[in-house]
Amino acid sequence: MRTYLLLLFCAALYGSNFVLGSLLLEAFPALHLSAYRLLVSSAFLLIYLVATRGLAKITFRDFVYLVPFVLIGMLLHQVSFFTGLQTTDATTASLILSLAPIFTALFARLFLKEPLTKRMVAGSNVALTGVFFVVGTGGRMSTAITEGVWIMFICMLALSGSMILMKKLTERMDAFVATVYTTVLGCISVYPVAVWSEPNVQLQPHFWWWVLLVGSALLIQGLCAVIWNAQIRKVGAAKASLFLNLQPFVAMILGYITLGTPISLTQVAGSVLIISGVVLATMQGQRTRKSEGDTLKISSAKR
């Protein structure tokens, strides 16, 4: 339950990232925004690592998963996320990224040999139906497939692939150490791309824009990354990704609080489906372990 609550906490902040990202794009260029947030989170994580544990050695075999994760989970994901938000509204973007659990489950079955149970499939379908309720009919989503939609689809695939790579990476090294190194290397990879694609940028944002940028970087790309990567090792990539279905629900609530966007009954119904789907899929592991435990007890008693 503690693991699920932590994943729920991360999913809530990840959901707010769509709204915060859209707001920050009003003051910062897309790729520079990504680079600045990675710089803040990298500095924080690296200082904390050095102060508490010290730098850890990285072997050549670690780079087999570290480099692909940085290229896919940091560079491709970050660039496509903020580029896509420039031409796609936060609600539509949250819908597309909510497809990540389905693709993560498929990737986990192919590459990690994680079980794909009927209950997980059913839970994913129920939650995905809720996603379409929240951001489809209720959110009046446009059915036109724009360039931004395709970019967000690439972002979703990068996110799914990164969870598989992080699962393999945390089997070789501590989850926190993996988070620090991937974030730092991600910053190093994103910044040159930002300078090359968005040259001669003159920034003059208000002080509070910088506060929002630093705060979101520390919470979403710093704290949440540490928590999320640690929990993936415990419950697996497929099951952890199911919590991403909560993102549209959070985006809807945050939009109502900050922007006054009305919430329809259809959206409420969709939110209930999302939560029900996550519960349906995640309760499977607990019941299975309990049944296995009961079976072992009965077998021991017979002996």
Side-chain angles (χ1 to χ4, degrees):
M1 182 57 65
R2 179 177 178 273
T3 294
Y4 291 152
L5 289 175
L6 289 173
L7 290 172
L8 181 63
F9 170 76
C10 291
L13 286 180
Y14 285 149
S16 69
N17 196 36
F18 294 97
V19 177
L20 294 176
S22 297
L23 289 173
L24 287 169
L25 284 173
E26 297 178 8
F28 299 93
L31 298 187
H32 279 75
L33 172 59
S34 175
Y36 297 152
R37 295 214 316 179
L38 284 172
L39 179 62
V40 172
S41 56
S42 297
F44 170 76
L45 292 173
L46 191 59
I47 291 173
Y48 184 81
L49 175 64
V50 173
T52 57
R53 307 186 188 185
L55 296 177
K57 286 185 177 182
I58 301 178
T59 65
F60 177 78
R61 295 189 63 182
D62 293 334
F63 275 100
V64 173
Y65 298 108
L66 192 60
V67 172
F69 180 90
V70 170
L71 294 177
I72 296 174
M74 300 302 294
L75 180 60
L76 180 59
H77 177 257
Q78 289 290 318
V79 170
S80 58
F81 179 81
F82 288 105
T83 303
L85 279 180
Q86 287 183 305
T87 55
T88 306
D89 61 273
T91 301
T92 304
S94 66
L95 166 64
I96 299 172
L97 261 71
S98 292
L99 297 174
I102 296 176
F103 283 88
T104 302
L106 292 175
F107 291 162
R109 181 73 182 105
L110 290 173
F111 300 110
L112 302 180
K113 306 304 180 182
E114 290 186 6
L116 188 64
T117 65
K118 293 181 179 179
R119 191 157 185 166
M120 289 180 66
V121 173
S124 298
N125 290 330
V126 171
L128 187 59
T129 302
V131 169
F132 278 98
F133 265 89
V134 170
V135 298
T137 306
R140 297 177 296 279
M141 183 188 69
S142 173
T143 56
I145 302 179
T146 63
E147 180 183 355
V149 170
W150 286 114
I151 293 175
M152 293 308 300
F153 188 79
I154 294 173
C155 179
M156 181 273 297
L157 291 177
L159 176 62
S160 300
S162 69
M163 283 191 278
I164 302 301
L165 291 169
M166 180 54 69
K167 179 66 167 58
K168 297 297 293 184
L169 189 59
T170 53
E171 291 176 357
R172 297 193 51 81
M173 64 173 61
D174 179 77
F176 177 67
V177 175
T179 302
V180 175
Y181 285 169
T182 53
T183 305
V184 172
L185 292 175
C187 178
I188 295 173
S189 63
V190 170
Y191 192 79
V193 176
V195 174
W196 174 75
S197 61
E198 298 170 340
N200 303 321
V201 172
Q202 296 181 353
L203 297 175
Q204 294 180 338
H206 192 273
F207 170 75
W208 292 109
W209 285 116
W210 288 105
V211 173
L212 184 60
L213 185 150
V214 172
S216 63
L218 292 177
L219 285 176
I220 298 174
Q221 291 183 304
L223 179 62
C224 279
V226 173
I227 296 175
W228 186 270
N229 292 340
Q231 306 317 306
I232 284 180
R233 186 174 184 178
K234 295 180 181 179
V235 301
K239 188 170 290 186
S241 68
L242 289 171
F243 284 83
L244 297 178
N245 281 313
L246 297 171
Q247 291 180 125
F249 172 70
V250 174
M252 177 184 66
I253 297 297
L254 187 61
Y256 173 77
I257 295 174
T258 59
L259 305 176
T261 305
I263 300 176
S264 66
L265 291 177
T266 305
Q267 291 173 315
V268 173
S271 301
V272 172
L273 285 175
I274 292 173
I275 297 174
S276 300
V278 172
V279 171
L280 175 64
T282 55
M283 290 301 290
Q284 173 68 15
Q286 290 183 338
R287 293 185 178 183
T288 300
R289 285 192 293 269
K290 183 177 180 181
S291 299
E292 290 175 351
D294 293 340
T295 302
L296 290 174
K297 290 180 181 178
I298 294 173
S299 299
S300 300
K302 288 181 178 180
R303 293 194 187 95

